[in-house]
Amino acid sequence: MPSKQIIFAQRLNELKRTMLQQALLQAVASLDLKQIDDELHRLVQPEYLNRLARYSLRGEIIFAVPCVIAKNPQLLGYYRLLLGFSQKDFSKYGLGRWLKYETTGKRKPARIDSQALEDLCSLLNEAAYQLLDTLEGISGTFFHELSLLTLGSQFQGSYNNLIGNKAAKKLFEILKQVIKVRTEVESFDDHVIQFTNTSGRRVIIRLAADPDVLVTEQLKTRIRHILAIEIKGGSDVSNIHNRLGEAEKTHIKYKQLYPEVQCWTMVGVKELSIQSAKKDSPSTDRFFLLEEIFSGGPVLEEFVQELVALLGLRENE
């Protein structure tokens, strides 16, 4: 069953109505064209508007103007996608606060700072100048297709996160069971497990992000970071090197902060060579294949034994 494509198709149909070119045309149709034209002539260099006019295209097809954004704030996503900015790019350039407007749905924000919005439009339009300077034979269809290319990468990233979250929750349930049969659990929920180990110290396991699972132990004078687990649950072998690179960045950061921490990486790709994986993430102390853990057997037993030793749990009788 093409489950990934079904999810993508549902999301694509939703975005057509809210922040793709179809939504832009709907917003423009409900506005006074004179207001749009006034803002275009004020914020966009005339030569670029003339260039679009030669192809029978209006300026707002690529240039952002405040009145259109105010009508539908989610259209910030249209211009971001069209110009090739990922959500991470927006955050990196100090524009992360605008991302919330892509997900406002039918509710408009109570207030958008007009000057800040105009400054953002000017910034986006600078990127649009650079894009237009490299293009020939443009059309509205071309701009729509261009935005879909960026959207595709965003969908894939979201799907990978979804798969990773499911794998993390499944692994967390295994951790609960391992602990519950070896000690009295003081408290637990869907994200945190707390217990006292055989040394009389409190251990806390958190399901979070960056790393996906973090285990700490309360000593008398400090908190010791015992274990950091990165979970890369996707089964796509073509993307595994990038995913392991992401795990490596997290592990390097954590080992710099807490040199004693053990770093594990859990991988969903069945065909992964552990020797190859070590080249992509040399900071990983231990690799595990998720399928081998979830299906039980010797690898799960080995995983449990290492957990018992690290966490200070008693051996199960």
Side-chain angles (χ1 to χ4, degrees):
M1 184 175 179
S3 56
K4 180 169 73 171
Q5 292 306 96
I6 291 173
I7 293 172
F8 283 6
Q10 292 171 339
R11 184 65 176 142
L12 180 60
N13 284 331
E14 177 186 342
L15 293 183
K16 282 181 179 179
R17 298 189 297 269
T18 57
M19 59 178 264
L20 291 178
Q21 194 176 100
Q22 176 180 319
L24 172 69
L25 297 177
Q26 289 175 348
V28 170
S30 66
L31 290 168
D32 181 353
L33 288 182
K34 183 178 185 305
Q35 182 183 8
I36 298 176
D37 288 338
D38 287 345
E39 292 187 353
L40 283 169
H41 288 296
R42 180 162 54 85
L43 296 176
V44 181
Q45 296 177 19
E47 62 181 282
Y48 289 95
L49 294 176
N50 293 337
R51 190 179 305 177
L52 289 172
R54 288 199 293 271
Y55 294 98
S56 301
L57 294 173
R58 286 187 51 82
E60 67 274 5
I61 197 74
I62 187 172
F63 293 111
V65 290
C67 66
V68 171
I69 304 302
K71 180 66 179 180
N72 177 5
Q74 288 183 280
L75 288 173
L76 279 171
Y78 166 77
Y79 293 106
R80 178 183 64 78
L81 293 169
L82 174 60
L83 297 171
F85 292 112
S86 69
Q87 292 176 324
K88 285 185 178 179
D89 287 335
F90 250 46
S91 297
K92 182 172 64 176
Y93 298 141
L95 304 174
R97 68 190 181 94
W98 293 104
L99 292 174
K100 64 182 179 181
Y101 295 120
E102 293 186 21
T103 56
T104 54
K106 294 181 179 179
R107 295 175 300 167
K108 293 183 182 180
R111 179 177 178 274
I112 300 179
D113 184 307
S114 58
Q115 185 58 54
L117 178 57
E118 185 165 314
D119 291 342
L120 175 64
C121 289
S122 296
L123 185 64
L124 292 171
N125 293 343
E126 287 292 334
Y129 295 151
Q130 297 177 43
L131 178 60
L132 277 180
D133 283 340
T134 65
L135 298 178
E136 295 181 4
I138 57 178
S139 67
T141 301
F142 176 80
F143 287 136
H144 174 62
E145 292 169 344
L146 198 57
S147 65
L148 291 182
L149 289 175
T150 311
L151 184 62
S153 298
Q154 182 174 310
F155 276 4
Q156 185 62 55
S158 298
Y159 184 76
N160 288 341
N161 288 337
L162 176 64
I163 297 299
N165 289 339
K166 287 183 177 180
K169 290 179 180 179
K170 193 170 182 179
L171 180 68
F172 204 66
E173 288 302 315
I174 292 176
L175 293 175
K176 283 184 184 178
Q177 295 306 315
V178 169
I179 293 164
K180 285 172 67 175
V181 299
R182 288 170 173 79
T183 189
E184 182 177 345
V185 178
E186 297 175 7
S187 66
F188 68 87
D189 56 30
D190 291 339
H191 296 89
V192 179
I193 308 171
Q194 295 188 51
F195 65 91
T196 300
N197 63 17
T198 55
S199 299
R201 295 190 284 265
R202 174 169 291 185
V203 176
I204 300 177
I205 304 176
R206 292 184 178 86
L207 180 62
D210 199 27
D212 297 306
V213 178
L214 178 64
V215 183
T216 59
E217 181 184 45
Q218 179 66 61
L219 304 180
K220 288 184 178 180
T221 59
R222 65 183 181 93
I223 294 176
R224 183 167 76 96
H225 288 69
I226 300 175
L227 178 63
I229 301 177
E230 275 289 285
I231 301 171
K232 302 303 176 187
S235 59
D236 183 5
V237 68
S238 66
N239 194 40
I240 188 58
H241 297 292
N242 290 332
R243 305 291 282 163
L244 288 174
E246 293 168 1
E248 176 67 5
K249 290 178 183 178
T250 298
H251 288 332
I252 288 175
K253 180 178 70 177
Y254 243 75
K255 287 202 171 188
Q256 288 174 342
L257 293 171
Y258 312 105
E260 61 192 347
V261 71
Q262 280 279 304
C263 291
W264 292 0
T265 301
M266 326 293 285
V267 184
V269 173
K270 302 175 185 178
E271 305 87 354
L272 180 69
S273 161
I274 299 300
Q275 186 175 1
S276 173
K278 288 180 178 178
K279 295 179 181 178
D280 291 314
S281 181
S283 296
T284 294
D285 297 297
R286 191 74 167 82
F287 287 94
F288 288 97
L289 300 184
L290 287 167
E291 183 179 345
E292 293 181 344
I293 291 177
F294 294 158
S295 61
V299 174
L300 175 59
E301 292 179 9
E302 184 180 350
F303 173 72
V304 169
Q305 289 173 359
E306 294 201 28
L307 272 178
V308 167
L310 273 176
L311 275 54
L313 294 165
R314 64 175 173 80
E315 294 288 344
N316 196 22
E317 298 177 359

